């Protein structure tokens, strides 16, 4: 395994790079240094003393809900053992989460889950007085369906291909329904068939698509299908799934929703004040709302907005509520309320005894804006742990790079790399070789013609004519060699294009673009376990992992 510093790759924010390399510069914005064991232990003790303080539920209540949910997701024995552990006061959660991308979405979602499992194992070794279990927060309330209804794969034609699932077979103008509640219809079979037909058939294809069809079955919700497929991918490694859209979970979150509704826009102002400080040096991505909650009305999810005279309205709808109506609905129907990006982290950590959250680069950046959010709700902010970042290097890609002396960083230099490769080929120029040969032959023939003219001038003229014909015939040979070199350039250009498509598809890091099914079809289900063993969660650089040599 090789690794590359993040600052040598494109598209990482300055805040994220600073978090990785110079945490002290950002200390005021995060709970503790993710590298410092003493600070982490102190945070665990703080969580131990504060978790469930003022809450309206117990660990046992939470664990009963988790058992019910994970039974529906076909979770394994280790998961239920970890849920039992979670009922104990000295057990804490290592949390991660993601939108419910179809077939798990880009494979960094899988990396986040594997990272959380590994980190829980590591903390269990380091902090013997406590227990730690991995938890995956299913972001089922998110309504941005076009972000999750498609995958990108490399097809058998060696092309980047996007395949979409469209309920009803048609694209909708607006998607406001929580994505996790969408029920799969018969068009999911068309989606799966298109993905399968896009791959070359391998020894692993039948098994892979049998499991895909078992998970993504007509009549299941996207939440159920996602969790079942993740369980297939990961196997029984003890990962606990939590579906926060469950009415029973929403009921536990009523105090969080109640406080945000009753104090707005105070939380918004706290986030703005923090953001002003961060923006002195960094670009930010989250803008808080006056009310950082959504409301689900007639199946669709709308942002809550304040209006004059204590009225609440749903953005992009005509629906309005008085304060009494809305607070009444919170008590009677808490499942209709939903977090946004600002309140989602504190909802996670109010419900769960979280001590660490495995976060991607964008999440790390916006967590820096949320320190006061945690204080506002009286919930300890967890360790924000950078997720493992990976590019999978297949053998054909590795061989091409080694043969042409290309470093991984050079793959991001675009035209400069193409020029370098063609220049390498052009170190031997057919044009130059034949030009030099022609000049040398003409000079040589001229010398001998002068000497031979003293013997027989008539024979010399005949000799000169044949020499001229020979020189002219070099042009034909030169054209053949030149064409061969052009073909070599085309081959190398095509190979480079295929390499870039694999490693940096659509100018995006592979982990953010490709679906894991592409690799599973080629290398089998054990490839996930191979990744699990290969990733180094303490390596805070971009990791290059070669595919198994046995393949």
């Amino acid at each position: 395994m090789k690794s590359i510093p993040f600052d040598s790759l494109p598209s990482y924010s300055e805040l994220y790079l600073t978090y990785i390399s110079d945490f002290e510069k950002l200390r005021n914005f995060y709970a503790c240094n993710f590298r410092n064991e003493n600070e982490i232990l102190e945070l665990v003790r703080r969580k131990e003393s504060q978790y469930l303080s003022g809450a309206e539920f117990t660990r046992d209540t939470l664990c009963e809900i988790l058992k019910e949910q994970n039974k529906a997701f076909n979770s394994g024995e280790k998961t239920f053992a970890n849920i039992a552990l979670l009922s104990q006061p000295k057990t804490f959660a290592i949390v991660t989460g993601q939108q419910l991308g179809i077939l798990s979405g880009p494979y960094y979602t899988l990396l986040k889950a594997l990272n959380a499992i590994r980190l829980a194992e590591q903390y269990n070794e380091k902090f013997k007085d406590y227990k730690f279990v991995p938890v995956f927060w299913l972001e089922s309330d998110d309504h941005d369906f076009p972000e999750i209804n498609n995958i990108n794969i490399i097809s058998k034609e060696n092309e980047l291909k996007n395949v979409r699932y469209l309920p009803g077979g048609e694209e909708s103008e607006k998607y406001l329904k929580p994505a996790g509640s969408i029920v799969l219809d018969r068009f999911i079979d068309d989606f799966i068939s298109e993905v399968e037909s896009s791959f070359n058939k391998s020894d692993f294809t039948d098994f892979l698509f049998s499991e895909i069809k078992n998970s993504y079955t007509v009549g299941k919700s996207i939440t159920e299908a996602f969790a079942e497929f993740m369980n297939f991918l990961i196997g029984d490694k003890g990962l606990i799934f939590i579906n926060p859209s469950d009415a029973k979970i929403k009921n536990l979150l009523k105090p969080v929703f109640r406080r945000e509704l009753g104090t707005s826009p105070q939380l918004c102002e706290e986030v703005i004040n923090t953001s002003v400080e961060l923006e002195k040096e960094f670009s930010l991505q989250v803008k808080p709302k006056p009310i950082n909650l959504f409301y689900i009305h007639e199946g669709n999810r709308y942002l809550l907005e304040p209006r004059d005279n204590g009225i609440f309205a749903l953005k992009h709808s005509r629906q309005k509520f008085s304060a009494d109506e809305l607070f009444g609905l919170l008590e009677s129907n808490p499942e209709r309320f939903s977090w946004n990006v600002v309140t989602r982290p504190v909802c996670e950590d109010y419900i769960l005894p979280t001590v660490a959250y495995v976060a991607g680069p964008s999440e790390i950046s916006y967590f820096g804006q949320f320190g006061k959010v945690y204080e506002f709700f009286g919930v300890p902010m967890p360790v924000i742990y950078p997720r493992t970042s990976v590019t999978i290097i297949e053998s054909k890609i590795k061989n091409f790079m080694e043969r042409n002396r290309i470093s991984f960083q050079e793959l991001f230099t675009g035209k400069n790399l193409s020029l370098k490769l063609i220049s390498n080929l052009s170190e031997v120029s057919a044009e130059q070789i034949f030009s030099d040969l022609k000049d040398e032959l003409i000079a040589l023939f001229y010398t001998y013609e002068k000497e031979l003219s003293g013997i027989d001038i008539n024979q010399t003229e005949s000799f000169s004519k044949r020499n001229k014909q020979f020189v002219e015939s070099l042009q034909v040979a030169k054209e053949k060699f030149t064409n061969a070199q052009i073909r070599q350039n085309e081959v190398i250009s095509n190979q480079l294009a295929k390499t870039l498509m694999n490693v940096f598809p659509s100018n995006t890091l592979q982990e953010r673009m490709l679906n894991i099914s592409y690799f599973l079809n080629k290398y089998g289900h054990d490839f996930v376990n191979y990744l699990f063993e290969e990733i180094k969660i303490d390596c805070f650089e971009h990791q290059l992992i070669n595919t198994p040599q046995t393949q």
Side-chain angles (χ1 to χ4, degrees):
M1 190 275 293
K2 295 181 180 178
S3 63
I4 307 295
F6 287 116
D7 59 9
S8 66
L9 301 176
S11 74
Y12 285 100
S13 73
E14 192 60 33
L15 195 156
Y16 174 73
L17 295 175
T18 302
Y19 187 84
I20 293 292
S21 63
D22 188 10
F23 178 83
E24 290 304 313
K25 193 172 182 180
L26 292 165
R27 174 168 288 282
N28 292 338
F29 301 99
Y30 296 89
C32 73
N33 188 336
F34 63 93
R35 288 183 171 95
N36 190 310
E37 290 184 22
N38 291 330
E39 291 184 26
I40 295 168
L41 182 57
E42 182 182 334
L43 188 147
V44 172
R45 289 169 177 161
R46 189 160 67 249
K47 189 72 177 184
E48 182 181 14
S49 66
Q50 295 183 27
Y51 179 57
L52 298 180
S53 175
E56 300 174 1
F57 66 96
T58 65
R59 281 181 179 257
D60 287 339
T61 304
L62 171 65
C63 290
E64 284 302 313
I65 299 170
L66 293 177
K67 280 195 287 187
E68 185 180 322
Q69 290 186 356
N70 281 268
K71 185 176 180 181
F73 300 149
N74 294 329
S75 297
E77 291 182 7
K78 288 183 181 178
T79 292
F80 292 102
N82 278 344
I83 293 173
L85 275 177
L86 199 59
S87 67
Q88 303 302 312
K90 286 187 176 293
T91 301
F92 299 92
I94 307 300
V95 180
T96 195
Q98 194 60 39
Q99 293 170 293
L100 310 183
I102 196 163
L103 301 194
S104 76
Y107 74 75
Y108 73 76
T109 299
L110 176 62
L111 293 176
K112 290 178 82 173
L114 297 178
N115 202 149
I117 296 165
R118 274 265 180 255
L119 189 59
E121 292 176 347
Q122 186 183 96
Y123 281 13
N124 278 320
E125 287 295 317
K126 288 181 177 179
F127 309 114
K128 298 288 189 180
D129 292 338
Y130 299 95
K131 295 293 183 183
F132 303 88
V133 297
V135 180
F136 193 101
W137 179 277
L138 299 162
E139 192 42 71
S140 44
D141 266 14
D142 186 272
H143 63 258
D144 200 346
F145 187 63
E147 282 193 6
I148 69 160
N149 73 337
N150 65 96
I151 63 168
N152 293 293
I153 56 175
I154 297 175
S155 70
K156 57 189 174 186
E157 291 81 20
N158 249 330
E159 296 175 347
L160 186 66
K161 182 175 182 179
N162 180 265
V163 186
R164 294 192 299 167
Y165 163 59
L166 296 175
E170 294 181 354
E171 190 166 8
S172 175
E173 288 185 14
K174 286 185 179 180
Y175 290 97
L176 295 173
K177 188 180 179 71
S181 66
I182 293 173
V183 175
L184 299 171
D185 63 12
R186 64 183 179 85
F187 290 96
I188 191 63
D189 295 332
D190 295 341
F191 167 82
I192 294 170
S193 294
E194 184 175 356
V195 175
E196 184 173 9
S197 65
S198 298
F199 292 142
N200 282 317
K201 191 171 179 65
S202 73
D203 292 342
F204 311 110
T205 302
D206 289 343
F207 175 70
L208 171 62
F209 282 91
S210 173
E211 292 298 328
I212 288 175
K213 290 169 186 175
N214 284 340
S215 298
Y216 285 84
T217 304
V218 174
K220 284 183 184 174
S221 71
I222 282 181
T223 300
E224 292 171 312
F226 177 92
E228 284 189 36
F229 188 63
M230 286 288 284
N231 270 326
F232 156 68
L233 291 176
I234 294 168
D236 190 10
K237 291 182 171 62
L239 184 64
I240 300 168
F241 289 96
I242 179 169
N243 175 16
S245 298
D246 188 327
K248 293 178 182 178
I249 295 291
K250 294 281 186 76
N251 188 56
L252 306 186
L253 285 168
K254 282 195 295 188
V256 177
F257 298 150
R258 194 184 298 130
R259 179 161 174 75
E260 172 61 355
L261 285 175
T263 60
S264 66
Q266 190 175 338
L267 182 63
C268 177
E269 292 167 356
E270 294 282 8
V271 177
I272 289 172
N273 291 337
T274 303
S275 300
V276 167
E277 289 300 308
L278 273 173
E279 280 186 310
K280 291 176 181 178
E281 292 191 57
F282 305 103
S283 297
L284 304 181
Q285 60 191 101
V286 170
K287 292 183 179 180
K289 306 299 182 184
I291 301 174
N292 292 283
L293 294 175
F294 285 85
Y295 184 85
I296 300 170
H297 176 64
E298 295 181 349
N300 292 327
R301 186 169 178 252
Y302 300 93
L303 183 68
L304 277 163
E305 293 186 319
R307 294 286 190 266
D308 293 338
N309 303 316
I311 297 298
F312 295 86
L314 303 185
K315 189 176 183 179
H316 301 311
S317 101
R318 296 180 180 180
Q319 185 66 41
K320 295 180 182 179
F321 304 98
S322 69
D324 287 344
E325 286 176 320
L326 197 60
F327 279 97
L329 285 166
L330 176 57
E331 297 306 316
S332 62
N333 298 98
E335 70 278 2
R336 297 182 187 175
F337 291 79
S338 179
W339 45 85
N340 75 347
V341 66
V342 174
T343 48
R344 186 263 301 162
V346 83
C347 285
E348 289 176 351
D349 304 328
Y350 173 82
I351 284 287
L352 297 164
T354 312
V355 296
Y357 182 84
V358 176
S362 296
E363 290 173 307
I364 285 175
S365 294
Y366 66 61
F367 264 102
Q369 298 174 254
F370 296 164
K372 295 294 184 182
V373 176
Y374 281 93
E375 290 182 20
F376 185 77
F377 287 99
V379 176
M381 186 182 194
V383 180
I384 308 303
Y385 198 88
R387 74 159 171 84
T388 306
S389 180
V390 164
T391 292
I392 299 165
I393 306 293
E394 297 190 77
S395 296
K396 61 183 179 182
I397 303 298
K398 181 173 178 281
N399 293 338
F400 173 78
M401 292 172 66
E402 289 178 349
R403 188 167 61 249
N404 291 283
R405 303 186 298 281
I406 302 170
S407 69
F408 185 76
Q409 292 96 319
E410 283 181 300
L411 293 174
F412 306 100
T413 60
K415 289 183 179 179
N416 292 338
L417 180 56
S418 297
L419 292 173
K420 172 188 172 179
L421 293 179
I422 291 173
S423 175
N424 287 345
L425 282 177
S426 299
E427 288 174 4
V428 179
S429 169
E431 180 76 35
Q432 189 62 49
I433 289 172
F434 278 94
S435 178
D436 291 345
L437 178 58
K438 180 180 178 181
D439 290 343
E440 289 180 21
L441 284 175
I442 290 173
L444 186 64
F445 290 155
Y446 177 77
T447 299
Y448 282 99
E449 281 175 19
K450 285 189 67 176
E451 293 183 15
L452 292 171
S453 66
I455 300 173
D456 187 338
I457 190 65
N458 293 325
Q459 292 296 325
T460 301
E461 288 178 0
S462 177
F463 177 74
S464 177
K465 185 177 180 181
R466 283 195 294 272
N467 290 344
K468 186 178 180 181
Q469 290 172 342
F470 183 78
V471 169
E472 289 174 351
S473 70
L474 289 178
Q475 181 65 26
V476 176
K478 185 190 78 170
E479 288 176 0
K480 290 182 179 179
F481 277 96
T482 300
N483 289 336
Q485 192 163 46
I486 290 170
R487 287 193 297 274
Q488 281 185 315
N489 287 347
E490 289 176 350
V491 168
I492 204 78
S493 295
N494 289 336
Q495 289 176 336
L496 175 60
K498 290 175 182 177
T499 297
L500 289 173
M501 180 194 62
N502 187 295
V503 173
F504 197 47
S506 294
N507 297 322
T508 305
L509 285 174
Q510 186 193 76
E511 63 181 12
R512 302 178 192 172
M513 180 67 67
L514 293 187
N515 182 259
I516 194 66
S517 63
Y518 165 71
F519 297 101
L520 299 184
N521 185 66
K522 294 185 74 171
Y523 304 105
H525 179 248
D526 283 346
F527 185 70
V528 176
N529 287 327
Y530 173 79
L531 272 183
F532 184 64
E533 296 300 326
E534 288 291 309
I535 60 174
K536 304 290 185 275
I537 68 167
D538 289 337
C539 173
F540 302 109
E541 294 187 332
H542 186 74
Q543 299 172 40
L544 309 181
I545 295 180
N546 296 325
T547 48
Q549 293 182 357
T550 55
Q551 300 298 330

